Amino acid sequence: MNGANWEQEARRWGIPLVAHNGLWKVEHPERHWEQQSLASALGLQKKKEISIWPLCDSSNTRLLEDSGLRLGIAEAQWSGHGRRGRAWHSSFGKHLYCSMAVEISAEQASVLPLVAGLGIYQVLHQHLPTLWLKWPNDLWIEQQKVAGLLLEGRHGASGQHWVLGCGINVLADPELPAEATSLAHAGYTIGRQQLLVAILQQWQEDFARLRKDGFSAFRQRWQQADRLCGSWVELEMAGEVKPWRVLDVDNDGGLQIDDGFQQQAIHAGEVRLRPRP
């Protein structure tokens, strides 16, 4: 492939590839990931348990296919996805895209994204007082999404293999859609590596507590981070959109709702929720 084609292909994927002294060079918007320091901070073996991909289909997919990996980080993804198969934007090198293998029981898997969201909230809220958690797996700043989580499982010879994916918009990025924002847009600047280490260390602590005590140990933290409790929202269920009032989250991760006539609990795979304007 000649130089012009290299540049064209890099531009198509959003990779900042430029010519420098006759060679092609990637100009990262942020500092490179330091694999060894990540491994040391998390107690992992660098070569065996962590992978960093300049570009991949999906970090979740990669970890689901390789049970020996514990942590995967992507600079960009061409097939990043969220709940119900929804795709999302993936700018090269500007944001945090990672996946982590998690040991969790099937019973507690339904609440793991809620606990993971609380871990991110714990790390960021002191710097971003308008940050809040939107059930079941998003973090918003005011009325714009800044981060999302996705837990996926695959059954293998050794049992169920769970992978938790996380995407956080970190740097200023004009290519983000209008309904999204970034930490930098909200006025908070932090290095991606520093942020990731803080989140993963918080997750290690929180996931151990979840295994021991269940989601009831996190109910108070959830109530502090949730801004929808008591509010009316629009819920799409089975193709129908109607207003419901949010009551609470139960110990199974279900959202308790009331439409004025009946109460029920719904789960993440069933619905799409939007705050009412």
Side-chain angles (χ1 to χ4, degrees):
M1 185 179 292
N2 61 37
N5 288 338
W6 269 112
E7 188 175 5
Q8 183 179 14
E9 189 71 5
R11 189 179 295 113
R12 186 168 76 89
W13 290 107
I15 300 173
L17 189 65
V18 297
H20 182 72
N21 294 331
L23 300 173
W24 290 102
K25 178 182 178 183
V26 176
E27 290 191 343
H28 282 258
E30 229 255 24
R31 62 183 291 185
H32 295 208
W33 293 103
E34 296 175 1
Q35 193 173 15
Q36 185 58 61
S37 59
L38 274 172
S40 298
L42 303 170
L44 301 176
Q45 298 181 51
K46 173 185 170 184
K47 293 183 178 180
K48 293 183 178 180
E49 297 183 298
I50 300 180
S51 280
I52 299 173
W53 304 290
L55 184 66
C56 74
D57 47 359
S58 159
S59 57
N60 263 25
T61 300
R62 296 289 179 96
L63 259 71
L64 284 169
E65 293 174 346
D66 187 343
S67 60
L69 288 175
R70 302 297 299 169
L71 177 66
I73 302 168
E75 289 287 17
Q77 302 178 104
W78 69 75
S79 188
H81 54 279
R83 284 194 315 117
R84 303 168 76 189
R86 288 193 291 270
W88 44 269
H89 180 75
S90 178
S91 298
F92 181 88
K94 292 184 177 181
H95 308 304
L96 194 164
Y97 314 117
C98 75
S99 295
M100 178 182 180
V102 182
E103 294 180 4
I104 197 77
S105 69
E107 293 75 20
Q108 292 179 333
S110 62
V111 297
L112 187 72
L114 279 68
V115 173
L118 281 170
I120 299 174
Y121 177 87
Q122 186 88 3
V123 169
L124 292 174
H125 183 249
Q126 62 179 320
H127 308 286
L128 296 162
T130 57
L131 180 73
W132 59 281
L133 279 171
K134 174 178 166 289
W135 181 91
N137 58 357
D138 292 343
L139 289 97
W140 286 37
I141 296 174
E142 295 291 359
Q143 297 303 308
Q144 293 175 295
K145 180 177 175 178
V146 71
L149 294 149
L150 178 66
L151 180 69
E152 294 183 286
R154 181 172 294 178
H155 193 77
S158 59
Q160 192 79 3
H161 179 44
W162 295 101
V163 171
L164 177 68
C166 173
I168 304 176
N169 300 329
V170 179
L171 300 183
D173 184 356
E175 296 184 23
L176 287 175
E179 62 271 19
T181 189
S182 70
L183 302 181
H185 278 133
Y188 181 52
T189 301
I190 184 172
R192 294 181 305 164
Q193 175 124 347
Q194 178 187 350
L195 175 62
L196 179 58
V197 168
I199 289 171
L200 294 179
Q201 290 177 339
Q202 184 68 49
W203 280 358
Q204 288 177 331
E205 177 183 330
D206 288 346
F207 294 172
R209 188 178 184 191
L210 174 63
R211 295 184 194 100
K212 180 176 181 290
D213 300 324
F215 186 68
S216 60
F218 297 88
R219 291 289 298 278
Q220 184 175 0
R221 279 172 58 185
W222 178 268
Q223 290 163 357
Q224 293 171 345
D226 173 25
R227 291 195 179 181
L228 294 183
C229 183
S231 300
W232 286 85
V233 299
E234 291 181 351
L235 285 175
E236 179 183 341
M237 293 188 284
E240 180 185 6
V241 179
K242 61 177 288 188
W244 291 81
R245 187 167 62 93
V246 175
L247 302 178
D248 202 352
V249 172
D250 62 30
N251 285 336
D252 295 325
L255 187 70
Q256 299 172 358
I257 55 175
D258 177 2
D259 67 352
F261 301 97
Q262 62 174 325
Q263 295 182 9
Q264 68 180 80
I266 57 174
H267 293 85
E270 304 170 353
V271 302
R272 183 176 183 182
L273 179 153
R274 306 181 191 91
R276 298 192 83 184

